[in-house]
Every structure is written in C-alpha cells, then in structure tokens.
Amino acid sequence: MGNLYQYAYLSCIRPEISLTRVYEIVQVSRKHNRSANITGILVFDGWRFFQYIEGDADAVLDLVRKLRQDERHHQFTELLSTPFAGPRLFRNWSMGYSVTADETLLTAFTRLTPGEVVLRIPDLVDSVDLEP
C-alpha cells in the first residue's frame, strides 16, 4: 500500500440535477471506491455535499481530479488535502452516506482550518444517520 492521503470538500448540486440522481451517484461511487480501496463519507443536505475520502495518495488524488471536473456540482470548496499516517477514519466504509435536514451542519465546515475539519468529522458522524 502507498502513502495514505485524506481529502475533504464541500460543493453544491447543480439545480438542474434531479435529487434522485444522488442515490445513483452514491451507488456508482461505492463500487469505484471499493475497487480503488478508497474509504470515507458523503453527507448531503439537499443542495450541498460534504465528502471526506481517504486512501492511497494516487487513488485519492485521481478521484479528486474527477470530482473537480464533474459537472453535476459546482462551488467546489476544498477543506482538507494532506497526506496522513493513519489509521483511516472509515476503514470499513467504501462510502458512508447520509442525508441531513440540518442546513447549518455543513456550513460550519467552511469556517474551519484543515486540522479542525479532521477533528470535527466524528461530530458530523454522530449527528447524522450514516449507512455503511
């Protein structure tokens, strides 16, 4: 296994994208993440995504390039991008997923430093119902 890397971002879904497509995105992403040995979480509040991913640096950075080019979302804001020693926060989840009705939950992440983002992820997990 290569060097571990962690990445987190916020983005907004484009208004013309049907919300039912989000479920399809999750299913395809889980399959891709499993094959690339990427783990993490995705939280959606109806118009914004927060995603945290971790895995081999090359795999994570390749996925980030694809995410940045994905036209289904915009206002892509990087919150965290760094190598780390481990352990993984979500070693058993190709992508935990949750929808939250709390529109203030994800906004709080925009005001954090990258180190604070990592520290707040457990709080985020505790406040939403994630499916492994």
Side-chain angles (χ1 to χ4, degrees), residues 74-89:
H74 64 112
Q75 296 180 2
F76 193 97
T77 304
E78 181 177 289
L79 302 173
L80 169 70
S81 179
T82 189
F84 75 114
R88 291 183 188 225
L89 297 176

Side-chain angles (χ1 to χ4, degrees), residues 51-123:
Q51 186 169 19
Y52 168 85
I53 55 176
E54 57 194 8
D56 177 75
D58 291 337
V60 170
L61 293 173
D62 183 53
L63 177 57
V64 169
R65 280 188 288 278
K66 291 174 184 172
L67 290 168
R68 287 183 169 278
Q69 294 172 357
D70 189 334
E71 295 182 1
R72 294 173 290 192
H73 63 137
H74 64 112
Q75 296 180 2
F76 193 97
T77 304
E78 181 177 289
L79 302 173
L80 169 70
S81 179
T82 189
F84 75 114
R88 291 183 188 225
L89 297 176
F90 300 100
R91 67 181 177 274
N92 296 321
W93 292 359
S94 62
M95 184 164 57
Y97 172 65
S98 179
V99 175
T100 180
D102 182 352
E103 292 187 8
T104 64
L105 184 65
L106 301 183
T107 302
F109 279 85
T110 63
R111 295 185 220 105
L112 301 176
T113 66
E116 292 170 330
V117 168
V118 172
L119 293 174
R120 290 285 309 275
I121 287 174
D123 295 338

Side-chain angles (χ1 to χ4, degrees), residues 26-38:
V26 169
Q27 296 308 308
V28 169
S29 297
R30 282 180 172 162
K31 184 180 287 188
H32 171 267
N33 288 0
R34 270 191 293 278
S35 68
N37 197 25
I38 292 173

Side-chain angles (χ1 to χ4, degrees), residues 41-56:
I41 61 168
L42 177 70
V43 179
F44 182 59
D45 70 4
W47 65 284
R48 278 182 306 199
F49 295 102
F50 169 87
Q51 186 169 19
Y52 168 85
I53 55 176
E54 57 194 8
D56 177 75

